[in-house]
Structures are given as C-alpha cells and as structure tokens.
Amino acid sequence: MRVLVVEDDDRVAAALRTALARYGMDVDRLATGRDVLDHLPAADVVLLDLGLPDVDGLEVCRSIREAGETPVIVVSARGRVDERIVGLHHGADDYLVKPYDVGELVARIHAVRRRRGPAAGPPPTPARDLGGGVVLDRARHVLTVEGGEVALSRKEFAVLALLADADGAVCTRDHLVAEVWGRRWPGADRTLDVHVATLRTKLGRPGLVATVRGVGYRLVPDGREGG
Ligand code: CA
C-alpha cells in the first residue's frame, strides 16, 4: 500500500511516515498541493491536509476526484461539521480531524480502499510457484517466500502478477505501466523502477526479476540470468 501524504507540517509528515511503515505502508510526501496530480498514479490512497500553504485543500480534493478513482482521506485541524460536509461534497472518501489515532487512520485507509474496489488486473488464478520458493496466490492476494507471507503493495503485486503471466517472456515498460497504472505520465518509468526495486528487496530473490535493458523486465525462475 502506497500512501501519498500531502502535509505541509514536516513533523507531522515524518511521524506519519514512521507510523504507517509499521503497518507495511510506504509513504510519498508532498509539502504543497500543486504537484499532487503528478504523484497520483503511484498512490493507492491520498491523505490530504486541508490547510496547505499554496492552494485550497478542497480544490486539490476536487481535482484528484476529477482525475480518477484514487481514494482521498481529508485531514483537518478543524472539526466543524459544515467543513466535513464540504469535504465530502468535494469528493473526499472520508474525513479525519487532527489529532487522530494512527490505528484509526489505518482502518480508514483499508476501508476506503475496499470501497473503491480491488486493483485492476487479470482475473484470479490458482497459486503459482514462480521458482526459488516464491509462490503467488492471486485468489488470496498473498505472496509467500519459503512459506512465509510477504506484504506487497497492490501495485507491487500487480507488477509481479503480470511478469508471472508472461512465463519468462519480457514485459515491456509500456505494458507494465499501462496495465498497473492505467496511463502513462512523465515519471512513469522511474515509478516502475522503484516498484521493481522494492519488489526485489521484499522477495529476497534479486535475480528473479531480471532487467532487460531498454525494454522492460522478465521473470527468471532460477535467478541465475540477467540482473
Ligand atoms: Ca497544514
């Protein structure tokens, strides 16, 4: 799960990054509202502070909703009921008042993700042995390495599933980005690389996902080729 935190307070943002990491969530942080749309494709959920220094948080919220289906949880220091209603009218999926409990935030994140539905991608198929003790179980959305469960973000899981479907053939960058993120944007290649790098670290099998220079990635079950 990758959470885009839009928060101008450095202290709050740093605390959130640490707290959410304990729940297996990766945080991208923006201190202002103007670049949010550029970072949206890599985000599973947006946590949006309404009190931003550059733009009106409610306008940011509305533009996120116009751009797509990424769930938005609005955060505000002010808890007035009318503001909450305004936030929801601007397309927010949920609303939290500062200060809030991290456990509650995590529960809300999972809830808005469930409401927005599962990741786009191929239909579930039976668990598959990818080699090297790595088993991908799409029906349960679980990856195990040597029998131990490994927590992957939605998009990391989708990238791995596409590579598995290709049976060792190359998946081009364009294909992976189009299938997992639904569209291309200027930072797409970099975002894909970051997801693959995280995937390799989490798998503990660096050779399993091989780079095909200038083309894309492919799975190498015995992990001895490529790299
Ligand atoms: Ca603020």
Side-chain angles (χ1 to χ4, degrees):
M1 182 86 74
R2 192 164 277 271
V3 183
L4 178 59
V5 171
V6 187
E7 168 64 68
D8 58 311
D9 186 322
D10 290 342
R11 211 167 41 87
V12 171
L16 267 177
R17 185 187 294 279
T18 306
L20 291 179
R22 287 197 206 103
Y23 292 86
M25 298 182 182
D26 301 314
V27 167
D28 290 325
R29 186 258 177 141
L30 292 174
T32 59
R34 63 175 177 273
D35 296 330
V36 167
L37 292 186
D38 294 338
H39 291 75
L40 217 46
D44 294 312
V45 174
V46 181
L47 188 63
L48 175 67
D49 178 28
L50 284 187
L52 294 170
D54 58 337
V55 286
D56 180 354
L58 289 174
E59 285 308 312
V60 176
C61 185
R62 187 157 64 189
S63 59
I64 292 170
R65 184 52 55 243
E66 283 169 3
E69 290 291 304
T70 311
V72 182
I73 299 174
V74 155
V75 179
S76 172
R78 300 148 295 182
R80 304 202 317 267
V81 171
D82 57 342
E83 196 170 57
R84 177 176 183 277
I85 291 167
V86 169
L88 297 175
H89 274 302
H90 280 72
D93 293 85
D94 207 344
Y95 187 99
L96 275 174
V97 178
K98 288 180 182 179
Y100 52 82
D101 176 68
V102 171
E104 183 181 5
L105 169 62
V106 168
R108 304 263 189 121
I109 287 175
H110 285 302
V112 296
R113 279 254 28 115
R114 276 196 300 275
R115 283 210 294 274
R116 286 277 171 192
T125 52
R128 254 187 94 163
D129 189 343
L130 304 183
V134 178
V135 175
L136 184 73
D137 183 343
R138 229 173 274 181
R140 289 167 55 230
H141 212 270
V142 167
L143 180 86
T144 55
V145 178
E146 306 283 359
E149 213 169 287
V150 174
L152 294 185
S153 76
R154 226 172 102 246
K155 290 188 164 90
E156 287 156 7
F157 194 94
V159 169
L160 188 60
L162 285 166
L163 292 170
D165 285 343
D167 276 323
V170 182
C171 285
T172 65
R173 293 171 158 280
D174 282 350
H175 174 67
L176 290 169
V177 169
E179 289 292 322
V180 175
W181 284 272
R183 69 185 176 98
R184 268 215 155 261
W185 72 103
D189 283 338
R190 172 75 188 132
T191 298
L192 175 61
D193 291 343
V194 169
H195 279 72
V196 169
T198 311
L199 201 48
R200 282 173 174 152
T201 305
K202 288 183 176 176
L203 290 173
R205 303 279 186 280
L208 181 64
V209 181
T211 303
V212 182
R213 206 169 290 279
V215 183
Y217 295 99
R218 70 187 191 92
L219 280 195
V220 181
D222 60 13
R224 281 176 304 196
E225 303 169 52

